[in-house]
Amino acid sequence: MHLSDNVTVADWIRRAPKVALHDHLDGGLRPATIIELARESGYEGLPSEDPVELAAWFRDAADSGSLERYLTTFAHTCAVMQTKEQLHRVAAECAEDLAADGIVYAEVRYAPEQHQERGLTLDEVVDAVNEGFREGERRTGGRITVRALLTGMRHTDRSTEIAELTIAHRDKGVAGFDIAGGEIGNPPARHLAAFQLLKQANCHYTIHAGEAVGPESVHEALQVCATERLGHGVRVIEDIEFAADGTATLGALAAYVRDNRVPLEVCPTSNLQTGIADGYKAHPIDDLRRLGFTITLNTDNRTVSGTTLSAEFQHLHEAFGYGPEILYDFTRAAVEAAFLPLPERTRLMDEVIDPAYDELAGRV
Ligand SMILES: O=c1[nH]cnc2c1ncn2[C@H]1C[C@H](O)[C@@H](CO)O1
Ligand SMILES: [Zn+2]
């Protein structure tokens, strides 16, 4: 694909319409908003009251080599997401920030149970976030559509309740369910009752798996819990053997994931911070892509990981030489894997994404 004019790489990446399936609401607050909300609400635990310093603090603290330590940083964002007004503001700004990065459709997840410290009911949490997303969509003039995924935390026992909440709010701004939190010691099958409830109700869900734990976690998420997509999933690479000449032999699980086109929600920067590899060039995404796995590209946590979806692609451009064709492939895979009705996915491709790529390539 030849780009029309003399656009820089950073420029076409940002201008290309993108789709984000794995972005945590509580991982993406604007640092200045965290500071303002902390002041207003009397939260005194922030490590800095300077937005630039606070942003750097998150990136550094997250860059810990361990998922468990990465997750401790969320105490500071969840602390300022405890009232309807706070949730509304954070959600509206999230939609604006994603749209400013060229994202046209996003599924944004959060754990409602983490926003009840000041007495909100689960329904009030979901309504406040949904209204915030609608407000953010309006402020962008409809350039973005945002749907919520409701997350149950792996280490608590509220996943069935959150699954019921997902079913109650489905098609009213909520597109599905997720399980997140520390993976070690909390296998997904602990939440089997929640998944069965969702299946009975024909509801969508995804599961974080294969991030800190290897193939056994991916296997359980897929074959015991019947997930539609894998949050990260990248440690499926541990079920592939590479010979010295580069030839790959897939184990049965890796072959299943690839051959059934199970979408992987890959978040390179977050994975590097939690210890999967030493640098972008060593991240498994390129091997997985070349072997034919279905890859979607995501941010995980924009503030905590100090990233944007454009930055994620820029890193891959630098590490592997990826160009517009591959960004298009990731985007199309994300649309196909989105928890949206088929006609809406078709409309997104035909009326938003393809025309914008045609324009970028000077075909119109
Ligand atoms: O990458 C992740 N793996 C597991 N859990 C995560 C990840 N990113 C964020 N979380 C957790 C921390 C948040 O508080 C929670 C809900 O968004 O999900
Ligand atoms: Zn995540």
Side-chain angles (χ1 to χ4, degrees):
M1 184 186 296
H2 293 288
L3 298 175
S4 50
D5 30 40
N6 286 335
V7 285
T8 64
V9 172
D11 211 32
W12 69 254
I13 293 173
R14 195 184 40 78
R15 280 167 51 186
K18 292 175 286 299
V19 168
L21 299 182
H22 190 136
D23 186 277
H24 292 255
L25 181 64
D26 52 330
L29 278 69
R30 295 176 187 169
T33 298
I34 301 175
I35 292 163
E36 208 177 304
L37 294 178
R39 280 197 192 126
E40 278 171 22
S41 63
Y43 175 64
E44 291 179 347
L46 287 187
S48 168
E49 296 219 350
D50 174 78
V52 175
E53 269 179 34
L54 185 60
W57 180 88
F58 274 110
R59 270 197 314 274
D60 291 348
D63 202 7
S64 62
S66 122
L67 176 59
E68 274 64 27
R69 284 200 295 277
Y70 180 94
L71 293 176
T72 60
T73 63
F74 289 80
H76 300 300
T77 56
C78 288
V80 298
M81 298 171 71
Q82 298 300 335
T83 67
K84 288 183 192 179
E85 295 72 26
Q86 290 171 341
L87 290 167
H88 185 277
R89 174 171 172 180
V90 162
E93 291 179 354
C94 169
E96 286 182 301
D97 293 350
L98 293 172
D101 191 35
I103 292 166
V104 294
Y105 174 70
E107 290 175 6
V108 179
R109 61 189 76 192
Y110 64 99
E113 67 192 77
Q114 300 189 137
H115 306 287
Q116 295 193 290
E117 286 168 17
R118 295 200 178 194
L120 293 182
T121 65
L122 292 174
D123 286 312
E124 285 172 335
V125 171
V126 174
D127 288 340
V129 171
N130 282 344
E131 283 162 24
F133 285 148
R134 301 295 80 75
E135 168 66 21
E137 289 170 342
R138 275 194 297 277
R139 286 185 203 159
T140 70
R143 272 188 299 128
I144 186 168
T145 300
V146 181
R147 293 288 176 267
L149 303 183
L150 304 187
T151 294
M153 298 305 290
R154 313 174 81 111
H155 60 281
T156 70
D157 58 1
R158 300 189 65 185
S159 55
T160 306
E161 224 181 317
I162 305 304
E164 282 164 354
L165 189 70
T166 305
I167 295 164
H169 288 265
R170 87 152 106 196
D171 301 333
K172 290 179 287 184
V174 173
F177 174 86
D178 163 53
I179 283 276
E183 194 173 0
I184 297 167
N186 294 302
R190 274 196 62 213
H191 304 282
L192 200 52
F195 300 126
Q196 285 173 343
L197 202 63
L198 291 157
K199 279 284 178 214
Q200 285 304 317
N202 302 296
C203 244
H204 293 293
Y205 57 90
T206 178
I207 299 179
H208 279 77
E211 178 184 21
V213 180
E216 66 271 33
S217 177
V218 174
H219 181 266
E220 194 170 304
L222 195 57
Q223 309 298 19
V224 181
C225 304
T227 191
E228 280 176 71
R229 309 193 307 229
L230 288 163
H232 303 286
V234 283
R235 284 193 190 270
V236 75
I237 196 87
E238 294 170 14
D239 193 41
I240 303 174
E241 258 182 50
F242 291 91
D245 67 353
T247 317
T249 307
L250 276 67
L253 173 70
Y256 186 98
V257 172
R258 179 189 65 181
D259 297 347
N260 287 284
R261 297 198 162 95
V262 178
L264 306 183
E265 303 161 0
V266 181
C267 313
T269 300
S270 166
N271 292 158
L272 297 183
Q273 291 175 319
T274 61
I276 205 163
D278 285 341
Y280 292 97
K281 283 196 167 127
H283 189 282
I285 189 169
D286 194 50
D287 282 329
L288 294 171
R289 184 190 69 80
R290 283 186 296 105
L291 289 168
F293 284 79
T294 299
I295 309 278
T296 71
L297 186 66
N298 300 278
T299 50
D300 209 12
N301 298 289
R302 284 169 289 113
T303 304
V304 169
S305 288
T307 193
T308 61
L309 193 49
S310 290
E312 292 300 311
F313 194 77
Q314 178 88 32
H315 291 305
L316 301 182
H317 168 74
E318 285 160 18
F320 306 115
Y322 288 2
E325 288 83 1
I326 292 181
L327 183 54
Y328 179 82
D329 288 348
F330 289 163
T331 306
R332 193 179 50 196
V335 171
E336 283 171 6
F339 292 161
L340 268 185
L342 184 60
E344 291 180 44
R345 302 197 322 253
T346 306
R347 193 198 67 78
L348 203 56
M349 261 342 274
D350 293 353
E351 295 179 22
V352 180
I353 293 166
D354 282 340
Y357 266 88
D358 284 343
E359 202 182 319
L360 268 177
R363 286 193 291 253
V364 284

